[in-house]
Amino acid sequence: MQKYSIFNLIKNAFSGHQNWDLAWKDATPKKEYDIVIIGGGGHGLATAYYLAKEHNITNVAIIEKGWLGGGNMGRNTTIIRSNYMYDDNALFSEFGMDLWRKMSQDLNYNVMFSPRGIINLAHSDAQMNIFTRRGNSMRLNDIDAVLLNREEVKEIIPMADFSDNVRFPIFGGLMQPSAGTARHDAVAWGYARQADSMGVDIIQNCEVTGFDVSGGKINGVRTSRGDIKVKKIGLCVAGSTNILAEKLNMTIPVETHLLQACVSEPVKPVLDKVVTFGAGHFYISQSDKGEMVMGGDLDGYNSYAQRGNLPTLQHVLTEGIAMMPFLSKLKILRTWGGIMDMSMDGSPIIDKTHIEGLYLNCGWCYGGFKATPASGWTFAHTIAQDRVHKLNAGYSLNRFNTGHLLDEKGLGTKTWIA
Amino acid sequence: MLHIKCPHCGMRSQNEFAYGGDASVKRPELNKEISDLEWDNFVYLRKSLRGKHLELWHHISGCRQWFKVQRDTSTHEIFKTVKANEDI
């Protein structure tokens, strides 16, 4: 594989950049693989990469119905963080933070990881107390957390509304300085390029039409481009999990919902942090191009539409304007929607299933992008070794029967309630 | 914007309603002995169908009645709405 470096950049400049190698080949499916990963998004690509890199398994195919990284990997708001209270979530995410820090070097691909920090705003004494508790829990797990008072927040984000007559005054906030953002497409492309170079087949425009299961074991997968014999399948399809589960006669504790995001017209640098509103559900950061990247609540009803509705967008942006009034002057450039695999306790599932050779990776709710490396790493381990790693032991499928729920937000099974 | 026909009030905008989830999920009968697994399945498992989906909505800024809606989850088309105690 051609290494990306300043020297290669200069060398290729002389030939007008016409002679770069393709980053990955357009593979056609073979008759048989050791492992098939369904879903060519971030998690699927990362899983294939770590299967090859950590476990030396390269007879692997990724099959994707659409195009590479065209689902939630291309639709998220690129936020990376590990500000969780529960150990299972915190340790898993912090392991991921470490992979994020090394990712650009590891993949020889600039993923533009920008650890600019995230601030969760608090709007009452009670919320400050709960943030103190979460911050302490984070620090016990070696995650950086800083509790900010009102004045300290004002120094960092003076454009927020600190006037006296607001409905939700800013009392302070919890900051994770090492959190940040990364270029989401680059993450998909970087993983794809490396996985391909190690022998993984990336097969796009290939829809799964069924599974060959007999005697409780996976024997193959049927696709729109032919049948494939395989003993191990990793399901990594986020919002489409329920559709494929139905083909496997499985019912899973996940509902598919619609989440919108939007960007404003580009403006000069104004915000160098990720900020979340604490009295509702709104988050904002500024992209390198200058657009304000914003998102918030689910549309609030089961949906596979990948496109949203204006009332929710209006509601979310109202919160944004309450937090940072200058946003009302900006025009919205683009809005879009993606479908989320909302699990019944708000935490993901990375586990084996009752079908031998079938592995499940789903339930990412609002937070799939940041989990990309850790999810791929642990899922690859789970598939290759046929047992879960201690990092994803808490993300079991049967926790809904044993009572070991990981309900970080305490929302219960009403996943659409923010 | 969805337009939802409340069976009591008529056609109203989405803003007046709150979603109540899958209406096909049945709570186990009272006084019937059931296993923990059956109860867990009732609480946590969801089919989350693509296509026609029967769901509960609450006319929270109107008559405050719960009712059932049959809606397509990929096109958002609403086929029918009925009172909570009626079947589609």
Side-chain angles (χ1 to χ4, degrees):
Chain A
M1 185 186 58
Q2 204 173 21
K3 193 170 158 55
Y4 291 162
S5 67
I6 183 76
F7 305 109
N8 263 329
L9 188 66
I10 294 166
K11 197 178 109 193
N12 277 280
F14 289 113
S15 52
H17 296 293
Q18 297 300 304
N19 298 323
W20 286 103
D21 290 349
L22 281 179
W24 56 86
K25 59 188 175 298
D26 193 15
T28 43
K30 291 192 286 190
K31 289 273 173 255
E32 188 167 356
Y33 288 96
D34 291 342
I35 296 173
V36 166
I37 305 295
I38 301 173
H43 292 215
L45 293 161
T47 304
Y49 168 72
Y50 291 113
L51 277 172
K53 185 182 173 233
E54 305 286 339
H55 306 278
N56 292 317
I57 304 172
T58 55
N59 187 20
V60 175
I62 298 171
I63 54 181
E64 162 61 46
K65 181 187 173 190
W67 66 96
L68 189 152
N72 296 339
M73 195 58 183
R75 297 163 192 261
N76 59 73
T77 46
T78 78
I79 297 165
I80 294 162
R81 58 189 174 84
S82 60
N83 53 358
Y84 286 101
M85 186 174 78
Y86 288 148
D87 287 352
D88 287 299
N89 287 330
L91 295 173
F92 177 88
S93 305
E94 186 57 17
F95 175 77
M97 292 302 293
D98 231 28
L99 294 175
W100 279 112
R101 288 177 202 117
K102 296 182 233 157
M103 191 180 288
S104 290
Q105 298 301 322
D106 192 26
L107 298 180
N108 179 227
Y109 206 105
N110 186 4
V111 300
M112 298 166 73
F113 176 53
S114 161
R116 60 185 67 181
I118 185 168
I119 301 174
N120 301 133
L121 293 180
H123 307 275
S124 65
D125 283 328
Q127 209 168 11
M128 284 299 281
N129 288 343
I130 208 88
F131 280 5
T132 310
R133 183 185 178 211
R134 177 148 62 96
N136 285 336
S137 300
M138 287 164 64
R139 291 173 77 140
L140 286 171
N141 281 323
D142 272 343
I143 300 168
D144 54 332
V146 183
L147 194 70
L148 305 170
N149 64 29
R150 179 180 164 92
E151 292 311 310
E152 288 164 330
V153 173
K154 193 173 180 180
E155 224 162 83
I156 301 171
I157 49 165
M159 76 298 281
D161 195 346
F162 288 92
S163 56
D164 295 328
N165 58 346
V166 291
R167 173 66 182 82
F168 299 108
I170 295 169
F171 275 54
L174 182 66
M175 179 161 73
Q176 185 191 2
S178 68
T181 61
R183 174 88 181 107
H184 50 183
D185 297 319
V187 177
W189 298 334
Y191 275 124
R193 175 168 162 269
Q194 287 291 346
D196 174 87
S197 79
M198 289 188 280
V200 172
D201 278 356
I202 299 171
I203 303 159
Q204 303 178 66
N205 300 310
C206 181
E207 182 177 1
V208 170
T209 53
F211 295 88
D212 182 5
V213 181
S214 62
K217 284 185 191 167
I218 284 283
N219 291 312
V221 56
R222 292 190 287 278
T223 79
S224 57
R225 295 174 67 179
D227 295 353
I228 298 170
K229 271 181 73 175
V230 66
K231 295 274 181 237
K232 287 183 174 183
I233 291 178
L235 215 59
C236 242
V237 293
S240 301
T241 307
N242 290 96
I243 299 170
L244 290 188
E246 198 188 344
K247 294 186 200 296
L248 288 155
N249 293 320
M250 285 171 73
T251 312
I252 51 170
V254 166
E255 264 184 25
T256 299
H257 281 260
L258 180 60
L259 181 63
Q260 295 192 72
C262 63
V263 293
S264 75
E265 58 187 323
V267 290
K268 285 187 177 177
V270 56
L271 181 63
D272 63 355
K273 293 272 181 283
V274 180
V275 183
T276 71
F277 183 55
H281 200 176
F282 173 82
Y283 44 87
I284 185 167
S285 63
Q286 190 169 21
S287 76
D288 296 321
K289 286 182 283 185
E291 302 155 336
M292 308 307 290
V293 185
M294 298 171 280
D297 284 321
L298 296 173
D299 268 41
Y301 40 81
N302 292 48
S303 175
Y304 286 92
Q306 287 191 312
R307 63 184 183 282
N309 228 330
L310 280 175
T312 306
L313 208 56
Q314 186 179 30
H315 169 72
V316 167
L317 293 175
T318 305
E319 295 175 34
I321 290 166
M323 182 173 92
M324 292 182 178
F326 83 96
L327 293 174
S328 67
K329 303 275 196 297
L330 298 182
K331 293 185 175 66
I332 291 294
L333 195 64
R334 288 192 309 281
T335 77
W336 63 91
I339 52 174
M340 306 295 114
D341 37 338
M342 303 299 295
S343 70
M344 291 293 141
D345 64 355
S347 294
I349 296 160
I350 308 177
D351 202 0
K352 299 161 67 169
T353 64
H354 71 282
I355 301 171
E356 196 181 322
L358 181 78
Y359 304 86
L360 190 60
N361 178 331
C362 65
W364 291 100
C365 302
Y366 304 90
F369 174 69
K370 66 154 191 301
T372 304
S375 161
W377 196 95
T378 53
F379 198 38
H381 181 280
T382 305
I383 297 172
Q385 313 273 335
D386 193 38
R387 63 190 162 87
V388 296
H389 190 271
K390 68 173 194 252
L391 283 169
N392 63 317
Y395 294 159
S396 64
L397 182 55
N398 76 351
R399 69 177 184 268
F400 299 94
N401 301 125
T402 62
H404 295 90
L405 299 183
L406 284 170
D407 197 346
E408 187 88 26
K409 289 198 217 157
L411 290 181
T413 60
K414 303 286 184 282
T415 59
W416 57 86
I417 295 173
Chain B
M1 168 91 72
L2 297 182
H3 288 97
I4 302 171
K5 188 178 169 191
C6 169
H8 307 278
C9 313
M11 197 68 90
R12 301 293 178 90
S13 92
Q14 170 189 346
N15 292 333
E16 293 187 16
F17 299 91
Y19 185 62
D22 190 339
S24 68
V25 177
K26 286 266 182 296
R27 186 188 168 102
E29 294 290 325
L30 277 178
N31 305 323
K32 189 189 147 210
E33 274 296 317
I34 57 155
S35 66
D36 286 352
L37 189 66
E38 282 175 273
W39 180 257
D40 295 339
N41 291 350
F42 152 67
V43 176
Y44 295 115
L45 296 192
R46 298 287 184 275
K47 287 213 161 61
S48 196
L49 300 172
R50 178 169 63 174
K52 277 189 183 174
H53 189 242
L54 188 65
E55 54 204 23
L56 291 167
W57 285 77
H58 188 192
H59 196 182
I60 196 156
S61 303
C63 63
R64 300 191 65 82
Q65 295 293 311
W66 286 90
F67 60 98
K68 290 181 194 161
V69 175
Q70 191 186 40
R71 186 181 60 92
D72 191 305
T73 54
S74 43
T75 64
H76 296 169
E77 181 184 355
I78 292 171
F79 303 104
K80 209 172 175 190
T81 58
V82 295
K83 291 175 185 165
N85 60 357
E86 294 173 347
D87 286 323
I88 287 201

mmCIF file of all heavy atoms in Angstrom, chain B residues 60-74:
data_model
loop_
_atom_site.group_PDB
_atom_site.id
_atom_site.type_symbol
_atom_site.label_atom_id
_atom_site.label_comp_id
_atom_site.label_asym_id
_atom_site.label_seq_id
_atom_site.Cartn_x
_atom_site.Cartn_y
_atom_site.Cartn_z
ATOM 1 N N ILE B 60 -51.979 15.169 23.681
ATOM 2 C CA ILE B 60 -51.624 15.763 24.978
ATOM 3 C C ILE B 60 -51.976 17.250 25.046
ATOM 4 O O ILE B 60 -52.295 17.764 26.109
ATOM 5 C CB ILE B 60 -50.125 15.500 25.267
ATOM 6 C CG1 ILE B 60 -49.809 15.730 26.746
ATOM 7 C CG2 ILE B 60 -49.211 16.300 24.360
ATOM 8 C CD1 ILE B 60 -48.603 14.975 27.214
ATOM 9 N N SER B 61 -51.966 17.944 23.900
ATOM 10 C CA SER B 61 -52.371 19.354 23.905
ATOM 11 C C SER B 61 -53.761 19.517 23.305
ATOM 12 O O SER B 61 -54.073 20.519 22.669
ATOM 13 C CB SER B 61 -51.369 20.208 23.129
ATOM 14 O OG SER B 61 -50.089 20.055 23.658
ATOM 15 N N GLY B 62 -54.589 18.487 23.475
ATOM 16 C CA GLY B 62 -55.949 18.542 22.947
ATOM 17 C C GLY B 62 -56.884 17.897 23.956
ATOM 18 O O GLY B 62 -56.966 18.333 25.105
ATOM 19 N N CYS B 63 -57.510 16.795 23.541
ATOM 20 C CA CYS B 63 -58.486 16.147 24.424
ATOM 21 C C CYS B 63 -57.830 15.229 25.457
ATOM 22 O O CYS B 63 -58.510 14.693 26.318
ATOM 23 C CB CYS B 63 -59.476 15.340 23.585
ATOM 24 S SG CYS B 63 -58.702 14.001 22.666
ATOM 25 N N ARG B 64 -56.525 15.050 25.347
ATOM 26 C CA ARG B 64 -55.742 14.223 26.279
ATOM 27 C C ARG B 64 -56.131 12.743 26.257
ATOM 28 O O ARG B 64 -55.889 12.017 27.212
ATOM 29 C CB ARG B 64 -55.788 14.783 27.702
ATOM 30 C CG ARG B 64 -55.238 16.200 27.781
ATOM 31 C CD ARG B 64 -55.026 16.672 29.197
ATOM 32 N NE ARG B 64 -53.989 15.908 29.891
ATOM 33 C CZ ARG B 64 -52.694 16.135 29.771
ATOM 34 N NH1 ARG B 64 -52.254 17.116 29.013
ATOM 35 N NH2 ARG B 64 -51.826 15.403 30.434
ATOM 36 N N GLN B 65 -56.724 12.307 25.171
ATOM 37 C CA GLN B 65 -57.062 10.888 25.034
ATOM 38 C C GLN B 65 -55.922 10.135 24.340
ATOM 39 O O GLN B 65 -55.260 10.685 23.467
ATOM 40 C CB GLN B 65 -58.328 10.718 24.189
ATOM 41 C CG GLN B 65 -59.585 11.290 24.812
ATOM 42 C CD GLN B 65 -60.002 10.528 26.047
ATOM 43 O OE1 GLN B 65 -60.076 9.296 26.035
ATOM 44 N NE2 GLN B 65 -60.269 11.234 27.128
ATOM 45 N N TRP B 66 -55.732 8.878 24.756
ATOM 46 C CA TRP B 66 -54.829 7.988 24.033
ATOM 47 C C TRP B 66 -55.591 7.330 22.892
ATOM 48 O O TRP B 66 -56.785 7.060 23.027
ATOM 49 C CB TRP B 66 -54.304 6.895 24.975
ATOM 50 C CG TRP B 66 -53.288 7.377 25.956
ATOM 51 C CD1 TRP B 66 -53.517 7.869 27.209
ATOM 52 C CD2 TRP B 66 -51.872 7.408 25.775
ATOM 53 N NE1 TRP B 66 -52.338 8.209 27.819
ATOM 54 C CE2 TRP B 66 -51.309 7.934 26.968
ATOM 55 C CE3 TRP B 66 -51.015 7.045 24.727
ATOM 56 C CZ2 TRP B 66 -49.931 8.104 27.129
ATOM 57 C CZ3 TRP B 66 -49.655 7.208 24.903
ATOM 58 C CH2 TRP B 66 -49.123 7.744 26.087
ATOM 59 N N PHE B 67 -54.905 7.061 21.793
ATOM 60 C CA PHE B 67 -55.552 6.358 20.684
ATOM 61 C C PHE B 67 -54.507 5.636 19.846
ATOM 62 O O PHE B 67 -53.305 5.785 20.071
ATOM 63 C CB PHE B 67 -56.375 7.336 19.820
ATOM 64 C CG PHE B 67 -55.551 8.437 19.212
ATOM 65 C CD1 PHE B 67 -55.106 8.351 17.895
ATOM 66 C CD2 PHE B 67 -55.233 9.564 19.947
ATOM 67 C CE1 PHE B 67 -54.337 9.366 17.347
ATOM 68 C CE2 PHE B 67 -54.461 10.579 19.396
ATOM 69 C CZ PHE B 67 -54.019 10.490 18.093
ATOM 70 N N LYS B 68 -54.984 4.828 18.900
ATOM 71 C CA LYS B 68 -54.067 4.018 18.085
ATOM 72 C C LYS B 68 -53.942 4.597 16.682
ATOM 73 O O LYS B 68 -54.919 5.081 16.116
ATOM 74 C CB LYS B 68 -54.590 2.585 17.964
ATOM 75 C CG LYS B 68 -54.516 1.784 19.241
ATOM 76 C CD LYS B 68 -55.053 0.387 18.964
ATOM 77 C CE LYS B 68 -55.317 -0.360 20.260
ATOM 78 N NZ LYS B 68 -56.237 -1.484 20.051
ATOM 79 N N VAL B 69 -52.722 4.512 16.161
ATOM 80 C CA VAL B 69 -52.453 4.998 14.814
ATOM 81 C C VAL B 69 -51.758 3.889 14.032
ATOM 82 O O VAL B 69 -50.860 3.224 14.555
ATOM 83 C CB VAL B 69 -51.529 6.243 14.854
ATOM 84 C CG1 VAL B 69 -51.140 6.674 13.444
ATOM 85 C CG2 VAL B 69 -52.183 7.387 15.597
ATOM 86 N N GLN B 70 -52.189 3.706 12.792
ATOM 87 C CA GLN B 70 -51.445 2.799 11.915
ATOM 88 C C GLN B 70 -50.678 3.656 10.919
ATOM 89 O O GLN B 70 -51.267 4.412 10.151
ATOM 90 C CB GLN B 70 -52.396 1.858 11.182
ATOM 91 C CG GLN B 70 -51.656 0.749 10.473
ATOM 92 C CD GLN B 70 -52.588 -0.094 9.625
ATOM 93 O OE1 GLN B 70 -53.479 0.442 8.975
ATOM 94 N NE2 GLN B 70 -52.371 -1.399 9.633
ATOM 95 N N ARG B 71 -49.326 3.548 10.966
ATOM 96 C CA ARG B 71 -48.479 4.476 10.227
ATOM 97 C C ARG B 71 -47.348 3.698 9.565
ATOM 98 O O ARG B 71 -46.903 2.682 10.090
ATOM 99 C CB ARG B 71 -47.892 5.502 11.220
ATOM 100 C CG ARG B 71 -47.082 6.637 10.624
ATOM 101 C CD ARG B 71 -46.571 7.542 11.761
ATOM 102 N NE ARG B 71 -45.727 6.782 12.678
ATOM 103 C CZ ARG B 71 -44.403 6.683 12.554
ATOM 104 N NH1 ARG B 71 -43.769 7.337 11.627
ATOM 105 N NH2 ARG B 71 -43.707 5.937 13.397
ATOM 106 N N ASP B 72 -46.895 4.180 8.423
ATOM 107 C CA ASP B 72 -45.769 3.529 7.758
ATOM 108 C C ASP B 72 -44.469 4.142 8.278
ATOM 109 O O ASP B 72 -44.279 5.358 8.199
ATOM 110 C CB ASP B 72 -45.887 3.730 6.243
ATOM 111 C CG ASP B 72 -44.893 2.864 5.484
ATOM 112 O OD1 ASP B 72 -43.685 2.963 5.784
ATOM 113 O OD2 ASP B 72 -45.311 2.110 4.587
ATOM 114 N N THR B 73 -43.568 3.284 8.798
ATOM 115 C CA THR B 73 -42.359 3.827 9.416
ATOM 116 C C THR B 73 -41.287 4.202 8.394
ATOM 117 O O THR B 73 -40.259 4.754 8.770
ATOM 118 C CB THR B 73 -41.739 2.824 10.418
ATOM 119 O OG1 THR B 73 -41.535 1.583 9.761
ATOM 120 C CG2 THR B 73 -42.618 2.639 11.625
ATOM 121 N N SER B 74 -41.502 3.888 7.106
ATOM 122 C CA SER B 74 -40.503 4.384 6.154
ATOM 123 C C SER B 74 -41.003 5.563 5.328
ATOM 124 O O SER B 74 -40.194 6.345 4.841
ATOM 125 C CB SER B 74 -39.956 3.277 5.255
ATOM 126 O OG SER B 74 -40.959 2.444 4.810
#
